[in-house]
């Protein structure tokens, strides 16, 4: 597509609304003012936005799907009104995620408690096997004890490191590539022992608390406590899933709204601010110009637009972006082209050639209608469940179609 350089100048409320509409139209590529304003004196008078406040809101929305154990949905740009301010959107996000955040924090706390109780069980089991009395260990005054876990590789490093230091290590158990251990050191070597354990990423637990818990609770009681906490964790997960299923459409809509506002803010990040006036520059496809002018005329009358063609630009050293537009099936293969390199501005678009040859070669290699139907069906189901992007789904279904065409052609012309 032929590209035009545009510069928009207008008040904040109009510029954010125009930016939203430009995202929905697609094709706008912002241009940093640092590349345009070469005069340092002039550039110093123009402020630019830095941090994006919507990044935090988008991250908070992730609690909804994280608490339910699901992956985030694929966001899409949605129309927003001038009344949708950051403050209103933040209040809406906090209202939705407040309960889920509390559930997530409670779940995390329970998981830490379960891990701690399992550590106590490991220690208790090791003491029973080695015929050691917890009360005798608690009475030890001339030794400092450390109890905890570290990776198997780091435990080997620790064993090699203590050969020449006043420290003793006892391996208790090994589970899931982690080693549970007891370590003993003399009081004079406390600082050195702690530095050594930190260097091997040792995760320690209070040995006094562990031994006291073992003395006061039998193994069966500890196992029951772990079971109860695991049930509570499962209950919190089920509650989060139920909440998500009951309000999935509204939550996905809110997530897409926050995503759109984040995109708008990113789009305007390179804008210039002079008082209450914003300056935004970038590239648009030529056929988008009429829509942009109509939008500004009816919705942003205080905004001014300036257009320059690529050949008339004062900053000609800036590279013109490439914007490809193809039919839906061919558009899916633009990602294959992008994996290697998009053509430079003004060069031939190879997407159609790639779409034909990609399917054709796969058709020759897997020229089976049944195979193609299975692949197409799986792609359709994954796309429907949002486990696969639309472009990848189109590519898989395009290959399925080509399977049948090639197979039919081979049978007809070569009697295969």
């Amino acid at each position: 597509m032929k590209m035009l350089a545009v510069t928009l100048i207008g008040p904040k409320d109009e510029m954010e609304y125009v930016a939203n509409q430009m995202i929905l139209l697609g094709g706008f590529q912002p241009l940093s003012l640092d590349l345009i304003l070469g005069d340092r004196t002039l550039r110093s008078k123009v402020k630019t936005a830095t941090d994006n406040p919507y990044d935090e809101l988008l991250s908070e929305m992730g609690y909804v799907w994280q608490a339910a154990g699901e992956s985030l949905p694929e966001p899409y740009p949605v129309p927003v009104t001038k009344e949708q301010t950051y403050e209103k959107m933040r209040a809406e996000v906090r209202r939705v995620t407040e309960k889920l955040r509390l559930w997530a924090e409670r779940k995390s706390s329970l998981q830490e408690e379960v891990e701690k109780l399992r550590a106590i069980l490991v220690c208790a089991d090791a003491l029973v096997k080695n015929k050691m009395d917890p009360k005798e260990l608690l009475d030890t005054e001339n030794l400092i004890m450390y109890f905890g876990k570290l990776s198997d590789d780091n435990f080997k490093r620790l064993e090699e490191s203590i050969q020449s230091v006043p420290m003793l290590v006892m391996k208790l158990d090994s589970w899931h590539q982690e080693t549970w251990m007891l370590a003993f050191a003399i009081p004079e070597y406390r600082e050195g022992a702690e530095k050594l354990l930190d260097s091997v990423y040792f995760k320690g637990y209070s040995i006094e608390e562990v031994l006291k818990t073992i003395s006061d609770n039998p193994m069966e009681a500890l196992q029951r406590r772990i079971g109860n906490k695991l049930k509570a964790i499962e209950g919190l997960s089920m509650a989060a899933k139920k909440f998500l299923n009951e309000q999935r459409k509204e939550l996905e809509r809110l997530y897409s709204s926050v995503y759109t506002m984040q995109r708008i803010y990113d789009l305007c990040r390179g804008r210039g601010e002079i008082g209450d006036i914003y300056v935004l520059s970038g590239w648009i496809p030529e056929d988008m110009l009429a829509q942009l002018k109509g939008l500004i005329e009816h919705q942003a009358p205080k905004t001014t637009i300036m257009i320059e063609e690529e050949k008339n630009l004062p900053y000609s050293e800036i590279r013109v972006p490439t914007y490809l537009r193809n039919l839906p099936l061919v558009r899916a293969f633009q990602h294959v082209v992008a994996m290697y390199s998009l053509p430079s501005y003004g060069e031939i678009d190879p997407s159609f050639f790639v779409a034909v040859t990609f399917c054709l070669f796969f058709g020759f290699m897997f020229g089976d209608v049944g195979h193609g139907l299975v692949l197409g069906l799986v792609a359709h189901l994954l796309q429907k469940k949002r486990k696969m992007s639309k472009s990848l789904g189109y590519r898989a279904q395009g290959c399925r179609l080509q399977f049948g065409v090639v197979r039919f052609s081979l049978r007809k012309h070569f009697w295969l």
Side-chain angles (χ1 to χ4, degrees):
M1 299 293 297
K2 182 179 179 181
M3 304 296 286
L4 301 175
V6 298
T7 298
L8 305 172
I9 304 173
K12 175 182 177 180
D13 57 342
E14 289 190 354
M15 289 293 288
E16 289 190 343
Y17 179 75
V18 170
N20 170 242
Q21 298 303 310
M22 292 173 76
I23 287 175
L24 295 175
L25 291 174
F28 179 72
Q29 177 65 40
L31 191 59
S32 173
L33 291 179
D34 292 330
L35 300 175
I36 302 172
L37 300 177
D39 189 333
R40 292 186 178 182
T41 304
L42 178 60
R43 181 67 184 88
S44 64
K45 297 178 181 179
V46 182
K47 299 179 181 179
T48 53
T50 53
D51 296 334
N52 190 332
Y54 291 96
D55 289 340
E56 182 183 356
L57 295 188
L58 203 64
S59 178
E60 286 187 27
M61 283 297 298
Y63 276 121
V64 177
W65 287 268
Q66 180 185 349
E70 293 189 15
S71 57
L72 291 171
E74 185 175 348
Y76 53 90
V78 297
V80 295
T81 63
K82 296 180 181 179
E83 290 74 27
Q84 284 181 283
T85 62
Y86 170 74
E87 288 73 20
K88 289 183 179 179
M89 193 157 288
R90 182 179 61 180
E92 180 67 13
V93 170
R94 296 283 165 84
R95 182 190 64 79
V96 169
T97 60
E98 183 177 8
K99 183 186 296 186
L100 288 166
R101 191 186 302 110
L102 292 174
W103 289 351
E105 291 173 357
R106 178 57 180 159
K107 185 177 177 181
S108 177
S109 176
L110 286 170
Q111 287 171 338
E112 289 181 5
E113 292 177 18
V114 167
E115 185 178 353
K116 184 177 178 181
L117 288 172
R118 282 176 173 163
I120 294 171
L121 278 177
V122 169
C123 186
D125 186 58
L127 293 177
V128 170
K129 288 180 180 177
N130 291 278
K131 298 180 180 179
M132 299 171 67
D133 188 353
K135 294 181 180 179
E136 293 180 359
L137 290 175
L138 282 172
D139 293 337
T140 303
E141 296 180 357
N142 298 324
L143 290 175
I144 301 172
M145 289 183 293
Y146 301 94
F147 167 70
K149 64 178 181 177
L150 69 172
S151 69
D152 292 342
D153 292 337
N154 284 333
F155 180 73
K156 293 178 182 178
R157 287 176 50 205
L158 179 62
E159 285 184 313
E160 295 172 358
S161 302
I162 63 172
Q163 298 299 323
S164 58
V165 298
M167 186 173 179
L168 175 67
V169 170
M170 180 189 300
K171 182 177 179 180
L172 301 180
D173 198 1
S174 184
W175 188 53
H176 288 180
Q177 298 182 339
E178 290 181 328
T179 298
W180 293 87
M181 51 160 271
L182 266 173
F184 302 88
I186 60 175
E188 293 78 10
Y189 188 64
R190 177 191 291 270
E191 185 177 350
E194 291 177 355
K195 285 182 179 179
L196 182 58
L197 291 174
D198 287 341
S199 69
V200 292
Y201 303 101
F202 173 77
K203 182 175 182 180
Y205 298 87
S206 171
I207 185 63
E208 290 81 8
E209 185 179 351
V210 168
L211 294 176
K212 190 176 184 304
T213 305
I214 294 172
S215 301
D216 297 341
N217 296 272
M219 298 278 283
E220 295 78 9
L222 291 173
Q223 290 172 345
R224 282 197 301 271
R225 287 172 63 184
I226 291 176
N228 291 336
K229 293 183 185 300
L230 288 175
K231 287 180 181 178
I233 291 172
E234 181 64 23
L236 288 171
S237 298
M238 294 300 295
K241 288 182 180 179
K242 182 179 179 182
F243 177 82
L244 177 59
N245 290 330
E246 288 177 350
Q247 305 184 48
R248 186 177 295 273
K249 289 185 178 180
E250 293 78 5
L251 291 171
E252 288 183 354
R253 174 76 180 183
L254 178 60
Y255 182 70
S256 293
S257 296
V258 176
Y259 165 78
T260 303
M261 293 303 295
Q262 184 208 38
R263 289 279 308 277
I264 292 171
Y265 205 94
D266 273 340
L267 190 65
C268 296
R269 190 186 296 231
R271 71 187 178 220
E273 300 180 19
I274 307 175
D276 294 330
I277 301 298
Y278 285 2
V279 180
L280 179 63
S281 293
W283 300 92
I284 62 169
E286 185 180 33
D287 60 356
M288 181 179 165
L289 180 59
Q291 293 173 290
L292 182 58
K293 284 183 174 180
L295 171 67
I296 291 173
E297 182 180 351
H298 296 96
Q299 302 294 336
K302 297 178 183 178
T303 298
T304 301
I305 179 173
M306 295 181 290
I307 305 104
E308 291 281 357
E309 292 193 14
E310 186 267 335
K311 60 183 180 180
N312 298 325
L313 290 177
Y315 40 92
S316 56
E317 69 278 1
I318 298 177
R319 185 171 178 268
V320 182
T322 301
Y323 183 74
L324 305 179
R325 181 173 294 169
N326 291 289
L327 295 173
L329 185 59
V330 177
R331 192 182 307 139
F333 290 87
Q334 290 177 185
H335 294 281
V336 179
V337 176
M339 286 173 59
Y340 297 93
S341 179
L342 285 174
S344 298
Y345 182 73
E347 294 182 349
I348 297 175
D349 176 14
S351 300
F352 179 77
F353 176 76
V354 171
V356 174
T357 55
F358 190 90
C359 293
L360 189 64
F361 284 131
F362 267 85
F364 276 116
M365 289 187 290
F366 305 103
D368 183 85
V369 177
H371 187 179
L373 288 173
V374 170
L375 180 63
L377 180 61
V378 170
H380 175 73
L381 292 175
L382 290 176
Q383 192 175 348
K384 188 175 181 181
K385 292 184 177 182
R386 298 186 178 179
K387 300 292 185 182
M388 177 183 287
S389 65
K390 290 183 179 180
S391 60
L392 183 57
Y394 283 137
R395 289 199 294 273
Q397 293 178 48
C399 290
R400 178 209 67 180
L401 177 64
Q402 196 67 42
F403 288 164
V405 172
V406 171
R407 185 68 172 175
F408 177 77
S409 300
L410 290 173
R411 284 184 177 275
K412 181 177 180 180
H413 296 288
F414 299 102
W415 296 95
L416 295 177

